[in-house]
Amino acid sequence: MTATRPRIVFFAPHFAEYSVRLALALSKRARVLLIVEGKNLREECNARLIAQARETLDVSTFDGWSRKGRLLATGLITARIIAFRPDLVHVQEQPDKLPALITSWLRRFYPVLLTVHDPQPHTGRDLDYSMRVDAFRKRLRAAASAFHVHGAYCHAQLVNELGIARPITVTQHGVILVPDAEQQMEPVPGRILMFGRMEAYKGVEVLLDAADLLSERGVPHRIVLAGRGPELERLRARSASMSNVDVIDKFLTPAEAVREFQQACVVVTPYVNATQSGVVAAAFGNTRPVVASAVGGLVDAVRDDINGLLVEPARPDRLADDLARVVMDPALQHRLSAGVRTAAVSDFAWGAIAEKLHEAYRGLIAVRKASAPS
């Protein structure tokens, strides 16, 4: 190890775009081996970003979907890490058998820093899944020397979950779905985007209630629900009957997702509960303000009347008020977008996040080195 260029393994069984962008930023301060699930990489990252990663980083992909692929991955990942001779391993928390097994082995030889995206599960289907994989989550967290979370709310949740003191680095979630120059366009007036997995905690019905109010008030608008999930199925008949609501019921490619964010004049997250939000990070990556429920980690990302508006959760009337403010006031849109630009190049910039993590790495490596037998 050198003082300025530690050797870091970045193990990403999920969150491919996030991981590529952070690994690229870290590569300015460290030698980085990125181990990423292949299908997730192809689904989340465009060809240009993948090419940049392969030119800049040591990139190794694995098959985490098929049974045969997972069996092969265990040995291949382990061998690749040993050959790289890392000073530290940074793992993205994905509570499955493969990452839990590998991370439990890694802890014996290297300090492990674990990024925890959701310290506690969301309500609804996420909670059911979380209960099924709880044993894997516990193994991952037990293996970690230190943690990384997004925002003060997630920090407090994780401290409550862990019950013991281990170092936690707090940053924002870096911008994602950042458009290339040729993808940039002017927003469509009145176009409101809700993007992502449509789960019960996301407040889709609250948004549809707000849309009815906007129509009653004569506010020109078009709401786009882009993504998949059980709430779209449950509310399909209602949304189909609403003339100002469009549903894009599919997994969007990166290019399709960027186009939807670029066309929107505002992004809405009417969640009933939340931890951190990749949707806010994507909105900020596309310079679009957010109208968000004032719940959970959303209040750590969206600064009221600076880069978006915060609204009382589960209140369609208040949500309609704030959406109307944004779509009817170009000057407000412009001011909030300027606040988004500032956030995107400061707290939400990957370079700033990498700098904080690099300091955390150095501390963990120094502790491990000091405790090693002479």
Side-chain angles (χ1 to χ4, degrees):
M1 186 193 94
T2 66
T4 57
R5 298 283 294 179
R7 299 173 69 87
I8 306 300
V9 168
F10 203 98
F11 178 34
H14 199 54
F15 308 104
E17 185 192 359
Y18 173 106
S19 301
V20 167
R21 292 189 183 279
L22 180 51
L24 285 168
L26 288 167
S27 70
K28 295 179 171 58
R29 299 166 174 82
R31 173 83 181 273
V32 180
L33 166 62
L34 173 63
I35 300 176
V36 60
E37 203 286 318
K39 181 181 177 183
N40 190 224
L41 179 69
R42 295 187 296 274
E43 288 181 342
E44 290 194 4
C45 301
N46 61 34
R48 186 174 298 181
L49 185 59
I50 293 173
Q52 184 183 2
R54 294 193 182 279
E55 290 170 3
T56 307
L57 309 166
D58 293 325
V59 178
S60 182
T61 61
F62 68 94
D63 174 9
W65 288 84
S66 71
R67 182 178 180 182
K68 180 180 178 181
R70 289 192 298 271
L71 288 172
L72 289 172
T74 304
L76 291 173
I77 291 171
T78 301
R80 189 72 179 89
I81 291 173
I82 291 172
F84 185 71
R85 295 180 293 108
D87 298 303
L88 178 142
V89 180
H90 186 157
V91 180
Q92 299 296 297
E93 184 178 71
Q94 174 68 11
D96 291 329
K97 183 177 181 179
L98 175 64
L101 178 66
I102 291 175
T103 305
S104 295
W105 174 82
L106 291 172
R107 69 176 297 189
R108 304 178 191 177
F109 307 99
Y110 317 105
V112 173
L113 188 144
L114 183 70
T115 292
V116 177
H117 292 266
D118 295 309
Q120 295 177 354
H122 301 294
T123 55
R125 190 171 65 169
D126 279 14
L127 182 58
D128 295 336
Y129 169 76
S130 179
M131 292 175 65
R132 293 198 303 272
V133 298
D134 189 57
F136 299 133
R137 179 182 295 101
K138 287 177 178 176
R139 287 186 68 182
L140 281 164
R141 295 182 182 181
S145 312
F147 299 89
H148 169 221
V149 297
H150 303 115
Y153 179 80
C154 287
H155 178 271
Q157 276 195 321
L158 186 60
V159 169
N160 184 61
E161 283 288 299
L162 294 174
I164 57 174
R166 274 179 278 175
I168 302 175
T169 299
V170 181
T171 73
Q172 290 292 359
H173 186 305
V175 292
I176 55 174
L177 291 174
V178 180
D180 295 326
E182 64 272 16
Q183 294 176 298
Q184 296 177 11
M185 63 181 72
E186 290 298 312
V188 177
R191 192 175 178 93
I192 301 165
L193 173 66
M194 182 174 181
F195 176 83
R197 294 186 302 118
M198 302 296 173
E199 301 287 345
Y201 73 90
K202 294 288 186 77
V204 181
E205 192 164 18
V206 176
L207 178 58
L208 295 182
D209 290 343
D212 282 337
L213 293 173
L214 291 173
S215 296
E216 290 173 10
R217 299 173 188 178
V219 177
H221 70 282
R222 179 157 294 279
I223 290 174
V224 178
L225 304 175
R228 307 196 73 176
E231 283 298 275
L232 282 187
E233 293 300 320
R234 186 176 73 85
L235 298 167
R236 185 175 298 281
R238 180 181 178 185
S239 61
S241 71
M242 300 173 71
S243 60
N244 287 345
V245 174
D246 293 333
V247 176
I248 305 173
D249 183 5
K250 69 172 190 173
F251 181 89
L252 276 66
T253 66
E256 291 170 334
V258 166
R259 181 174 177 81
E260 290 303 325
F261 277 98
Q262 283 289 299
Q263 289 187 105
C265 71
V266 62
V267 175
V268 61
T269 55
Y271 301 174
V272 177
N273 56 70
T275 51
Q276 51 80 36
S277 174
V279 175
V280 172
F284 284 10
N286 286 272
T287 326
R288 297 299 183 258
V290 180
V291 173
S293 297
V295 295
L298 294 180
V299 299
D300 294 324
V302 178
R303 298 181 63 193
D304 191 39
D305 207 38
I306 295 176
N307 54 32
L309 299 176
L310 290 172
V311 60
E312 185 179 349
R315 287 290 301 271
D317 54 336
R318 300 288 177 83
L319 182 60
D321 290 344
D322 278 358
L323 289 173
R325 284 181 60 196
V326 177
V327 302
M328 297 291 286
D329 188 347
L332 177 60
Q333 286 182 40
H334 180 78
R335 179 167 61 80
L336 295 177
S337 295
V340 170
R341 289 189 188 91
T342 299
V345 298
S346 55
D347 290 347
F348 289 80
W350 290 110
I353 296 165
E355 184 175 353
K356 283 190 175 182
L357 285 169
H358 183 250
E359 288 303 309
Y361 296 163
R362 292 181 65 178
L364 289 170
I365 293 167
V367 169
R368 176 59 67 95
K369 187 175 182 181
S371 63
S374 55

